[in-house]
Amino acid sequence: MATDTMILKETQRKDRATGRESQWKMIWRRFRQHRLALVSLWIVIGFYLIAIFAEFLAPYAPSHYNSRYTYAAPQGIHLFDTDEQGNWGFRPFVYGYTTEIDQAAMRRTFVLDPDVKHRVQFFIETEPYRLAGFIPMQHRLFGVAEPRAPFYVLGADRLGRDLLSRLIHGTRISLSIGLVGVVLSLFFGVLIGGFSGFYGGWFDSIVQRTIEFIRSLPTIPLWLGLAAAMPRDWGALQTYFAITIILSVVGWTELARVVRGRFLALRTEDFVVAAQLDGASDYRVIMRHMVPSFMSHIIAAATLAIPGMILAETALSFLGLGLQAPIVSWGTLLQEAQNIRTLASAPWLLLPGVVVVIVILAMNFLGDGLRDAADPYGR
Amino acid sequence: MPQIPMAAEGPLLTLDDLSIVFSSPDEADIVAVRQVDLTLRRGKTLALVGESGCGKSVTARAILRILDKSAAIPSGQIIFSPDDAEPVDIATLNPDSIAMRTIRGNRISMIFQEPMSSLSPVHTIGDQIDEMIILHERVTPKQARERTIALLDQVGIPGPRERADAYPFQLSGGLRQRAMIAMALSCNPDLLIADEPTTALDVTTQAQILDLLRQLQDDYGMAMLFITHDLGVVAEIADDVAVMYLGDVVEQGDVFDVFATPQHPYTRALMSSIPKMQRKAERERLQPIQGTVPSPKDRPQGCSFSSRCPVAFEPCAKVRPDPTRTGKQHRTRCHLIERELKPGEVIV
Amino acid sequence: MNDLIRVENLSKSFTLRRGLVGGLISLDALKDINLAVRPGETLAIVGESGCGKTTLGRCIVKAMTPNTGKVLYTPENGETIDLVGLKKRQMKPWRRDIRMIFQDPMSSLNPYMRVFDIVAEPLRIHKIAKGRELEDRVATALEKVGIDPAAGQRFPHAFSGGQRQRIGIARALVLDPRLVIADEAVSALDVSIQAQILNLLEDLKDDFGLTYIFISHDLGVVNYISDRVAVMYLGNIVELADTETLFERPRHPYTEVLLEALPIADPKRRAGKRTEARGEIPYIGNRPKGCPFHTRCRFAQDRCRNDRPELRKIDATEVACHFAETIELRGAYDSAPRPHISQKVSP
């Protein structure tokens, strides 16, 4: 095994030394030198894994509520405990709650009760569900054994729903909306930008003026307008796709510009002229000679576009014009943190904001790293 | 008897045993220039000639101490002896010190292949030259502008009074190069370093700039270090020539000597690589050097040219030849010459 | 024998917009070019930057379309085809015959393709060979230019400038062309490498019976490699002659200027100061009226300022100068130090 790795390493080194190393290997090698981007890559991968396995990871369904525990404080999770025989070991548990009535504010507050411990169990059996909508499952990663015991690791919201579970489910919506939005933008951006850059002429002029017009519109009011025009009675799925399309309306312009710029720069490169003089068709010139040399740039630009999409979705939903309850996204979760008084008593409702910040930063660092590594020849 | 200052005799600049090393975190150090000896006579032009990567530009930048942070001078001296000041070893100065900056600003000027890289695009050339003059002399802006206009006229820029208000991008390549020369002259330097100043220019413009540099050298009495890859340009402008290959000066001497009797196999090969201006009947096939220049990492342990040398023999790959005198001012690093000379014999 | 290529009355202009909303201005890059390329010869096109030599080359290979004029090509079957009017698909078969070598060995090879694929690309496009045969043909082409075919799996960045230029030549040769247009093919190379490539080009010409159009600004190289020379200035051909005739007895004052400006690697022949054209090449947008060279010509008369001289034949030379018969110009083969006449840069 070790020798295998050594042989592999040796061939890699040789490839590099003799110039056999392909573009993607060079990009990867350069990317790895960018520590922050590498860490960010793992963070982003982690969040997307959470999004994919949301039902399995979350202790409850997003709509699961318990009105006894509205605004219950975060329990935290305790990992080590002594068992009945007094042996200390890995035995995760959470404390139960006692309720106190705040007479002045006329409000219940929850205080952790160190005397009540609820054991946390892994791969706990629950009501059946479908993972990612199609794999039937009956177990979740973790939960408390007693069905009626409270389990609010990150606290509860105004209906006594588990914030952690909602955050995990919100991750799926928010991250996928960014991704779907960028894929849509990418499709239109590459298509329109590519035509614009390769053929130039009047088509290019029209596209450029259109892009300038769209980009001169203030985005938030534009989105608001479009969102407001959306019929109220649309279902969750329809709203979801409508929102991605609304976000892409502006998103494609940036990518179209990047693609067009690359096309313009490459069109006069000698190796592209050489391909044309070989007698290659336009399609072949584009796909075989031009696209490979800016593919990596496009990926980097797309990665940098995702955070914008996520933020836009969050902003729209926060304002109540994007996704609507019962869809759970980071934006709709933050919507509940709009009220100052609520925040004062339940500050954990701001946690979705923290997650947004982490993910956006990670994606930006990742995009920066990709962009720096994208051009292995440093041209 | 009046004491003549030491400095006014002897060469203006001496590079003695100079080495330049580039280090990078990932890879082994690269010796870009190794143990170079050069002398630059007062008022004369030394041409440093060689192909890309031979270390000629690095050597020039070392004299001004404008090398990258990754470069170091592990050994050697750069003795600069201006007429009216004490000799100083530039190699020991801190690149950012006041002493070094004074040398850079007042004593040694440099012009580059691409003038746009050293002219500010957002200031007029007049303003830029004014600023240089005011920096070095106590003059009013008005006097400075008069000097600027005189300088621009001297470097052959037509309509200097109007052109002083032009931005660099408004000038053609040749005029830009002239403007940069005017700027370099504004401090009356003892030494002008010209790094491929005509390479980017058309032949007719190149000829004009070479003529101009020769003329200015006569007027100002400055010495010139001229870096080029073009033996034709060397023949046009140099008094002395040093041929560099892969960080070594392989041959140096008086330009007439070196061109008439090239000693080092590399110099000879270089000369037979250039097409001669001959009629078809006299035409000979070019004799190129085989192979390509290795990277400094793969430099042979001995003579750096030994891996491509047509006449290499036993010691060449292993032992580095010392410079041997092959004429009055002519020195060559080659075992073949060492062997042909009897011990103790010196060619005069 | 028929000319391989005959360029007739070729003109090409570029339109530029001045500023964002300004009017269009038209720059004549080529003006009424007439030129014939004979089979088996090396025709050099020389001139300084902006003279139109590259544009002319690109019009001949149909990388650009001229505004007016013809590029007549005579393929092996003897008919004559005007390449200018051809559609992309109609042009494709002739692309096998007419190939190009580029100046910059760094940018002319796709950095993302392996060398094997770069050289194989024309064969694949023209569906000439595949599989084993394709590999053989690529290997042969690489061997011909002195590249080890085993290195085909490498990417271009692993090669030096000279080697890359060889790869570019292999790409041109793999289709067995008849005409190769070399646009400053050795200008970006170090002298020792330049000599290797010049020798290679000569050898390949003999082996394959090629015809070259050799575009260059370097008269030393041109004298060495070419049979005939066309001198261009501001989009016009000003002189066209055998290499030896042109270098021995130039007829156009601009040719003389070019010859004298050429630095010669012999300090004994160092010029004091030269005849020297005054000033610089005018911006192509302000082409002078009359003879394009009159602003810098030491023989210029009133007539030169008004009438544009046509290319006309004097002995073995075609020259566009009103006074070609009367002026005495110096050639380049003299070995004496060159005398001088003082110069002044004119406004």
Side-chain angles (χ1 to χ4, degrees), chain A residues 7 9 64-65 75 94 99 103 112-113 139 156 190 196 265-266 272 283 355 360 367 373-374:
Chain A
I7 291 168
K9 279 248 162 73
H64 176 94
Y65 71 97
Q75 290 168 313
V94 292
T99 318
Q103 292 293 350
L112 292 180
D113 179 0
H139 294 83
V190 169
S196 190
L266 283 171
V272 173
Y283 177 79
V355 175
I360 300 297

Side-chain angles (χ1 to χ4, degrees), chain A residues 27-86:
Chain A
I27 291 176
W28 174 235
R29 183 156 57 82
R30 287 199 10 176
F31 179 78
R32 272 187 326 196
Q33 290 167 1
H34 202 308
R35 291 273 158 232
L36 195 57
L38 202 60
V39 171
S40 301
L41 175 68
W42 288 115
I43 293 177
V44 170
I45 290 178
F47 271 96
Y48 273 101
L49 286 177
I50 290 174
I52 293 170
F53 298 108
E55 290 93 347
F56 175 67
L57 296 174
Y60 298 108
S63 52
H64 176 94
Y65 71 97
N66 188 341
S67 49
R68 278 187 59 203
Y69 294 104
T70 57
Y71 294 124
Q75 290 168 313
I77 214 164
H78 300 260
L79 295 180
F80 299 98
D81 191 18
T82 48
D83 64 8
E84 290 77 17
Q85 281 82 41

Side-chain angles (χ1 to χ4, degrees), chain A residues 16-23 25-27 268-282 284-285 288-290 292-294 296-297 374-377 379, chain C residues 58 61-63 88 92 95-96 98-100 102-104 106-114 117-118 121-122 124-126 150-151 153-159 171 175:
Chain A
R16 198 188 315 166
T18 55
R20 281 197 186 81
E21 197 177 37
S22 77
Q23 174 196 2
K25 280 190 202 149
M26 284 175 96
I27 291 176
T268 52
E269 283 278 335
D270 280 350
F271 71 82
V272 173
V273 176
Q276 283 164 337
L277 294 186
D278 285 345
S281 62
D282 285 355
R284 193 178 177 100
V285 170
R288 202 170 149 77
H289 296 270
M290 297 174 85
S293 54
F294 62 75
S296 47
H297 289 264
D375 204 342
Y377 304 106
R379 279 189 305 120
Chain C
R58 300 227 161 178
V61 293
K62 216 164 146 43
K88 224 176 157 139
K92 195 169 167 182
R95 294 225 176 270
R96 292 176 59 173
I98 305 172
R99 306 287 291 158
M100 181 145 171
F102 294 84
Q103 167 172 9
D104 183 358
M106 299 297 158
S107 72
S108 61
L109 305 180
N110 187 339
Y112 300 103
M113 281 168 81
R114 291 175 197 271
D117 293 318
I118 291 174
E121 182 74 357
R124 287 179 175 143
I125 288 169
H126 289 273
Q153 289 310 305
R154 299 187 188 180
F155 288 88
H157 67 89
F159 294 86
R171 170 176 61 194
L175 289 176

Side-chain angles (χ1 to χ4, degrees), chain B residues 51-52 172 174 202 204 206 208 215 232 235-236 238 259 277-280 283-286 288-289 291-292, chain C residues 48-49 190 192 196 199 202-203 223-224 226 244 248 262-264 270 273-274 277 279-280 332-333 338:
Chain B
E51 298 179 281
S52 44
S172 69
D202 278 318
T204 59
Q206 163 170 293
Q208 291 172 357
Q215 178 66 45
E236 288 285 336
F259 276 78
M277 195 45 81
Q278 287 168 324
R279 292 178 180 83
K280 279 264 152 11
R283 212 191 75 156
E284 296 154 22
R285 193 175 157 85
L286 298 174
I289 309 168
T292 49
Chain C
E48 297 179 275
S49 50
D190 275 324
S192 67
Q196 291 175 0
N199 281 351
E202 282 213 300
D203 296 344
N223 176 58
Y224 176 80
S226 67
E244 204 158 315
E248 182 93 63
L262 180 71
I264 295 197
R270 181 179 290 184
K273 268 183 194 164
R274 303 153 230 245
E280 300 188 353
Y333 293 135
R338 292 171 282 180

Side-chain angles (χ1 to χ4, degrees), chain B residues 54-106:
Chain B
C54 72
K56 53 190 193 298
S57 285
V58 175
T59 308
R61 280 160 193 269
I63 295 171
L64 277 177
R65 301 300 304 275
I66 50 172
L67 290 167
D68 289 351
K69 288 265 179 289
S70 60
I73 303 179
S75 77
Q77 294 180 309
I78 305 172
I79 307 290
F80 179 58
S81 332
D83 290 341
D84 49 357
E86 286 296 303
V88 52
D89 181 3
I90 289 177
T92 60
L93 295 179
N94 180 336
D96 301 323
S97 64
I98 292 176
M100 193 60 234
R101 270 190 257 164
T102 318
I103 290 177
R104 268 199 292 263
N106 291 331

Side-chain angles (χ1 to χ4, degrees), chain B residues 15 27 41 54 69 71 82 97-98 100 110 131 163 216 237 243 257-258 297 304 307-308 333:
Chain B
L15 271 54
E27 287 164 42
R41 296 184 284 155
C54 72
K69 288 265 179 289
S97 64
I98 292 176
M100 193 60 234
M110 187 157 178
E131 198 191 322
R163 290 288 166 86
L216 292 171
I237 198 150
V243 183
D257 272 4
V258 172
K297 280 180 289 189
S304 48
S307 58
R308 298 170 75 197
R333 270 186 193 267

Side-chain angles (χ1 to χ4, degrees), chain B residues 240-291:
Chain B
D240 300 310
V241 57
V243 183
M244 288 191 77
Y245 180 80
L246 207 55
D248 282 343
V249 170
V250 294
E251 179 163 5
Q252 54 189 314
D254 176 83
V255 70
F256 290 94
D257 272 4
V258 172
F259 276 78
T261 55
Q263 297 291 329
H264 197 280
Y266 177 65
T267 317
R268 289 185 197 166
L270 211 50
M271 289 184 178
S272 54
S273 297
I274 320 167
K276 300 210 170 32
M277 195 45 81
Q278 287 168 324
R279 292 178 180 83
K280 279 264 152 11
E282 308 156 0
R283 212 191 75 156
E284 296 154 22
R285 193 175 157 85
L286 298 174
Q287 304 285 322
I289 309 168
Q290 293 309 308

Side-chain angles (χ1 to χ4, degrees), chain C residues 22-44:
Chain C
L24 295 172
I25 50 166
S26 166
L27 303 179
D28 293 327
L30 293 177
K31 213 156 176 187
D32 211 13
I33 300 286
N34 286 286
L35 186 70
V37 186
R38 302 168 189 157
E41 75 169 346
T42 299
L43 172 70

